Amino acid sequence: MSYAQKVLADVKAHHPGEPEFHQAVEEVLGTLDPVLKAEPKYEKNCVLERLVEPERIIMFRVPWVDDKGGLQINRGYRVQYNSAIGPYKGGIRFDASVNLSILKFLGFEQTFKNSLTTLPMGGGKGGSDFAPRGRSDAEVMRFCQSFMTELYRHIGPDTDVPAGDMGVGGREVGYMFGQYKRLANEFTGVLTGKGLSFGGSLIRPEATGYGDVYFAQNMLAMKNDTIEGKVCSISGSGNVAAYAAEKLIQLGAKPVTLSDRSGWIYVKDGIDAGMLAEIMDLKQVKRGELKEFAAGKKGVEFNAEGRPWQVKVDCAFPCARQNELDGKDAQTLLDNGCKLVAEGANMPSTPEAIEKFLGAKILYSPGKASNAGGVSVSGLEMSQNSERLSWTSEEVDAKLKGIMKSIHDNAWNSAEKYGFKGNYVVGANIAGFTKVADAMIAQGWV
Ligand code: NDP
Ligand code: 2IT
């Protein structure tokens, strides 16, 4: 049994009932053998044993009053995963599915992702099983205030800097920031994804989706190809998906699908800027469903069943949630001639799907590389807050492009160095790992 296999077996034995966490650990540890063999210092310093244990987990009760005057109780969490290279940094997720396994997987992924960004950020993730859908604005505000009433004592601009994730956007970050400021009596960059008038960065809302498309452009460039004219499927219609679609349209590609919990739409002639504006208004402002958008619209096909992956496309951008693209979906994409998959979500492809993409040698990027644009611009928001200045859209966008290129090149070069040319999974994992691992060794056995 190799060192990595032994640590993985220990994780499964010590933390039963955490399937998403096991999956994320297995995906990373399964690719590290070349570097672990070449550099015995990692085993000698028990780096893997330490990396699989979050530094700290905070779990708390979140009581709040609903619009009927009744008391509601949710569970709140913050996983402060790894601070070897900077303060804990990562999003907050509000979704009924949230549990410790999901937040540990997300915190683990975030640690490697943040390492890839070139910026000094450790890994963290948090959230609650609170589901904002169907809740009034006042209920969301009271929930956010109660959540922050506990969380505020554990975070800070130099300790842990949360942001948005699924179910948490500008509205929720604003309410959480307001409550933090009130309790701490400090106006600091303790959260990112803030409103522009109180320290938010331009391009932060767009950054994950834009960055995903920039990463795809970098992959295509390795084949002397471009995104222009490519037919693309996208899943999700939230923050990441909407801005991936926007960037694809701007670059002359043709996004043909989007999805949500009600189903998915297929627009054979391509979703254009007008349709996308309507969808963004429906999802972000009215908080409605794609089903409503499709009703009675010519050229828009709505499917309540299945997933967007059955459509014939050149490129696919999974931007909704973990394990939304399985082995069968991957095979269908490949059979239909798909040549590129750039993950916008965290761990959207199952291990079987990843195996198929790697086996077919298409351009496939794991989320920790291609969705790192969001947290990168969060890092830039922290820099702007520290210097109490705001940069222009052009400045932030140019930095985002530069960061996505350096993540791409770092993953590409690391894969090549260890004999896995073109394998972005191995490259991203090894590049993300070595920076964190070396920092851990330098800081002693803590
Ligand atoms: P949003 O909440 O804005 O959007 C999520 C989208 O996924 C919505 O369209 C939602 O549908 C859909 N969805 C969620 N659960 C399901 C489900 N069970 N079945 C079908 N559709 C579902 O979240 P984000 O766009 O921020 O996040 C999407 C992914 O990207 C997540 O994996 C997140 O971790 C990752 N990510 C986000 C970053 C960010 O900056 N926001 C950064 C990097 C990664 P509905 O509208 O019906 O709820
Ligand atoms: O998964 C992610 O990278 C995010 N949800 C963004 C985290 C952040 O701190 O901006």
Side-chain angles (χ1 to χ4, degrees):
M1 219 189 234
S2 73
Y3 170 43
Q5 283 167 336
K6 195 179 100 12
V7 173
L8 176 66
D10 284 349
V11 166
K12 290 183 176 174
H14 284 123
H15 302 287
E18 297 185 354
E20 293 86 0
F21 181 57
H22 297 170
Q23 184 183 335
V25 171
E26 189 155 9
E27 193 261 338
V28 172
L29 267 50
T31 61
L32 296 181
D33 272 349
V35 69
L36 295 172
K37 286 208 180 96
E39 301 279 359
K41 65 180 174 183
Y42 295 127
E43 182 168 0
K44 189 165 155 258
N45 286 281
C46 295
V47 168
L48 290 187
E49 289 88 334
R50 290 191 278 157
L51 257 178
V52 296
E53 293 296 338
E55 288 174 14
R56 185 179 301 110
I57 297 178
I58 299 141
M59 294 173 64
F60 51 97
R61 181 171 70 211
V62 189
W64 57 281
V65 179
D66 65 25
D67 284 347
K68 294 191 185 107
L71 180 60
Q72 298 274 344
I73 307 291
N74 283 98
R75 282 134 291 273
Y77 309 84
R78 185 72 183 167
V79 178
Q80 297 184 328
Y81 206 99
N82 190 295
S83 64
I85 63 168
Y88 308 109
K89 180 81 195 90
I92 298 271
R93 176 176 291 193
F94 291 166
D95 191 75
S97 65
V98 163
N99 59 35
L100 204 51
S101 170
I102 289 177
L103 294 180
K104 281 176 68 180
F105 120 62
L106 288 166
F108 182 79
E109 286 285 292
Q110 198 79 44
T111 300
F112 300 97
K113 183 195 307 190
N114 292 3
S115 162
L116 288 168
T117 64
T118 72
L119 304 173
M121 299 182 289
K125 204 85 188 190
S128 171
D129 59 357
F130 171 73
R133 169 163 298 278
R135 291 291 174 192
S136 71
D137 195 56
E139 288 180 319
V140 170
M141 182 175 72
R142 288 195 294 273
F143 175 81
C144 289
Q145 290 175 339
S146 180
F147 183 82
M148 188 50 81
T149 298
E150 174 60 35
L151 188 65
Y152 97 98
R153 69 187 88 244
H154 308 290
I155 62 176
D158 297 314
T159 308
D160 183 355
V161 183
D165 191 78
M166 194 188 289
V168 177
R171 173 180 64 165
E172 292 76 15
V173 168
Y175 291 151
M176 287 193 274
F177 181 77
Q179 184 72 349
Y180 178 87
K181 183 165 60 69
R182 188 179 173 204
L183 292 166
N185 193 27
E186 267 181 16
F187 193 113
T188 60
V190 66
L191 289 155
T192 59
K194 300 183 291 297
L196 289 180
S197 58
F198 52 98
S201 175
L202 286 159
I203 307 289
R204 176 61 190 89
E206 294 88 345
T208 313
Y210 280 18
D212 191 20
V213 176
Y214 295 154
F215 197 94
Q217 286 185 295
N218 280 295
M219 290 201 288
L220 287 164
M222 300 306 289
K223 306 243 175 201
N224 291 317
D225 201 353
T226 67
I227 196 80
E228 199 182 339
K230 297 282 185 296
V231 178
C232 304
S233 51
I234 305 174
S235 64
S237 51
N239 174 269
V240 181
Y243 290 107
E246 182 170 282
K247 186 49 73 179
L248 286 171
I249 295 169
Q250 285 172 8
L251 294 171
K254 193 161 106 173
V256 292
T257 70
L258 286 170
S259 71
D260 69 5
R261 284 169 231 242
S262 72
W264 57 283
I265 56 165
Y266 175 46
V267 184
K268 190 161 176 287
D269 294 336
I271 295 165
D272 62 27
M275 283 184 192
L276 185 62
E278 204 183 314
I279 292 169
M280 284 189 185
D281 182 61
L282 174 75
K283 297 299 302 180
Q284 295 172 14
V285 182
K286 302 196 178 91
R287 301 180 191 275
E289 296 185 316
L290 281 180
K291 180 165 70 183
E292 304 161 44
F293 167 77
K297 266 209 188 62
K298 254 185 91 187
V300 179
E301 186 185 308
F302 177 76
N303 303 279
E305 301 297 324
R307 311 197 246 205
W309 316 127
Q310 64 200 62
V311 174
K312 181 174 163 51
V313 292
D314 304 308
C315 307
F317 295 85
C319 297
R321 64 190 302 270
Q322 66 273 6
N323 292 327
E324 57 164 322
L325 196 166
D326 63 19
K328 214 166 131 257
D329 297 322
Q331 193 56 54
T332 309
L333 281 168
L334 293 171
D335 290 347
N336 281 330
C338 178
K339 293 281 185 296
L340 175 147
V341 177
E343 294 184 347
N346 285 307
M347 205 167 78
S349 305
T350 64
E352 296 73 30
I354 297 173
E355 208 181 298
K356 287 199 189 285
F357 294 145
L358 294 179
K361 294 200 181 310
I362 63 162
L363 296 169
Y364 164 69
S365 64
K368 68 170 72 67
S370 45
N371 75 29
V375 74
S376 298
V377 174
S378 278
L380 301 179
E381 184 170 324
M382 291 166 73
S383 304
Q384 293 169 79
N385 292 165
S386 296
E387 60 175 19
R388 300 189 195 281
L389 290 172
S390 311
W391 305 338
T392 64
S393 299
E394 291 73 24
E395 279 175 282
V396 179
D397 197 32
K399 285 192 200 311
L400 171 61
K401 274 188 193 147
I403 288 171
M404 296 318 293
K405 172 148 176 48
S406 81
I407 297 172
H408 172 276
D409 293 355
N410 193 2
W412 176 273
N413 293 335
S414 301
E416 191 167 33
K417 177 174 169 192
Y418 288 98
F420 289 82
K421 191 172 173 184
N423 184 328
Y424 291 98
V425 176
V426 170
N429 287 344
I430 290 183
F433 167 79
T434 47
K435 182 174 172 188
V436 174
D438 291 342
M440 287 171 72
I441 292 175
Q443 291 170 37
W445 290 7
V446 294

